[in-house]
Amino acid sequence: MLSLHRAGPALARVRTLSRSSLRVSDPIRSRFALPEHHLSYTDHGPKDSEKVIVAFHGCPGSAFDWRYIGAILEPKCRFIRLELPGHGETPLALCPDPSPDAINEHVHKVVRHLVLPGQQLWLLGHSLGSQVALHYAAKHVAAVSGVAILATAANMRPHRGIRPWGVITRLVHLASNPTVQPVIQPLARTVMTKIHGFSTRFAAEEFVHSWRRTTSLNFETHKRIAARLHKHNVPVMVAWTRDDHLIEHEIAQETANTFPPGPRLCFPTGGHHLVKTRAAEIAAALEDWMKL
């Protein structure tokens, strides 16, 4: 059963669309020049919109991940999709450091330039992308109107997809050894595609960097971020599915209970990639919540 708790009336009217009926939006990528390198992004929808969504994909991932939700929201608001370092067309050389704070140093330069004075900034993150979005919101609470996290990896404790935690951290340490890299890269690709169900279109190095990003998760920091967002009244929308093979329902529910009030969308099915499987329902909830 779908939880409609604080999700808004539009969500109750939405029915899951078949894959063949989903509209897509794939805007041409632009490049934002930074001293170290460039960051790739797309910027679609009315530029003078009162509200701007900045979206952070999961890992591995790219701006392509938002093609279904973007197709629904872009006629109604400005929708910016960032490609994080090491993913899409943004080179890892921009920020080899996988920590969210290091990544956000570059993200902030882009957001500060793209978002116009007076526009409301809303953040949207999927999986590991929600970790970056939450860290950004915690640092820039006065500038953020709300955060939506989908199948978030930024939980209060390790989820099953990254357990045992010590194994992941050890493999990432080994990946830094040039002698072992030829073994680790195909292993990462096999685990991420055969076990975790990610697309085979990603390069092996992108899978390894996704593991590096995973080891940057800090569960105590997530609790502090939740407390800071509570303190500054930054609302948070949380969406997840009961059949996510990476993040179990109990952990997702615990996360939803920890963050500040906002829509809570618990879907019976849809898996980890609800950015596609539940695009219509998520977009409807965002429309209601943001009053688009």
Side-chain angles (χ1 to χ4, degrees):
M1 181 176 178
L2 174 62
S3 169
L4 302 180
H5 180 48
R6 296 194 298 273
L11 183 60
R13 299 193 298 270
V14 175
R15 295 294 180 266
T16 303
L17 299 175
S18 67
R19 292 188 177 185
S20 60
S21 64
L22 287 174
R23 293 181 291 120
V24 299
S25 169
D26 293 317
I28 296 174
R29 290 173 173 86
S30 300
R31 291 185 174 187
F32 189 90
L34 293 164
E36 302 81 359
H37 224 296
H38 71 266
L39 188 142
S40 176
Y41 69 97
T42 69
D43 186 355
H44 207 50
K47 296 295 185 293
D48 59 351
S49 171
E50 178 189 2
K51 294 162 186 177
V52 182
I53 295 175
V54 174
F56 301 77
H57 61 76
C59 300
S62 69
F64 182 85
D65 296 358
W66 300 108
R67 63 200 313 242
Y68 304 102
I69 292 176
I72 301 171
L73 294 180
E74 284 165 354
K76 301 166 185 177
C77 72
R78 192 176 176 197
F79 195 86
I80 298 172
R81 319 176 202 183
L82 304 181
E83 294 196 316
L84 302 178
H87 303 284
E89 295 183 4
T90 299
L92 181 58
L94 173 63
C95 184
D97 185 339
S99 71
D101 289 335
I103 293 169
N104 273 327
E105 287 184 18
H106 304 285
V107 166
H108 183 57
K109 295 173 186 175
V110 178
V111 171
R112 184 176 57 190
H113 179 82
L114 294 179
V115 177
L116 303 175
Q119 288 186 318
Q120 291 182 21
L121 174 61
W122 297 74
L123 306 181
L124 173 61
H126 173 234
S127 192
L128 268 171
S130 63
Q131 176 212 29
V132 183
L134 287 165
H135 274 253
Y136 188 97
K139 188 169 184 178
H140 305 282
V141 286
V144 175
S145 296
V147 188
I149 53 177
L150 318 177
T152 182
N155 296 299
M156 305 303 112
R157 52 193 168 107
H159 53 269
R160 59 186 165 210
I162 58 176
R163 295 196 304 262
W165 182 243
V167 172
I168 294 289
T169 55
R170 180 60 179 164
L171 287 172
V172 168
H173 176 73
L174 289 173
S176 63
N177 186 331
T179 305
V180 184
Q181 278 181 357
V183 176
I184 295 297
Q185 288 193 359
L187 174 63
R189 184 180 183 85
T190 298
V191 170
M192 295 290 278
T193 58
K194 302 297 184 182
I195 298 177
H196 291 167
F198 287 93
S199 171
T200 57
R201 66 186 172 89
F202 300 108
E205 174 53 34
E206 192 166 352
F207 290 122
V208 174
H209 186 59
S210 296
W211 278 2
R212 294 191 192 102
R213 287 281 313 282
T214 298
T215 62
S216 73
L217 291 169
N218 186 310
F219 307 102
E220 291 305 312
T221 297
H222 301 160
K223 295 173 185 177
R224 290 193 292 271
I225 287 174
R228 180 166 171 78
L229 298 182
H230 269 290
K231 179 180 179 181
H232 291 274
N233 297 313
V234 178
V236 177
M237 168 177 153
V238 187
W240 72 98
T241 68
R242 286 181 174 270
D243 68 345
D244 189 328
H245 62 291
L246 297 178
I247 303 168
E248 50 269 62
H249 167 69
E250 294 75 16
I251 286 182
Q253 182 68 70
E254 179 184 38
T255 297
N257 293 342
T258 303
F259 279 105
R264 297 297 188 259
L265 285 68
C266 176
F267 300 101
T269 60
H272 189 64
H273 298 285
L274 69 174
V275 289
K276 177 178 182 180
T277 60
R278 294 292 179 173
E281 294 95 331
I282 290 168
L286 286 167
E287 287 180 41
D288 270 345
W289 187 41
M290 296 174 59
K291 295 180 172 54
L292 296 178

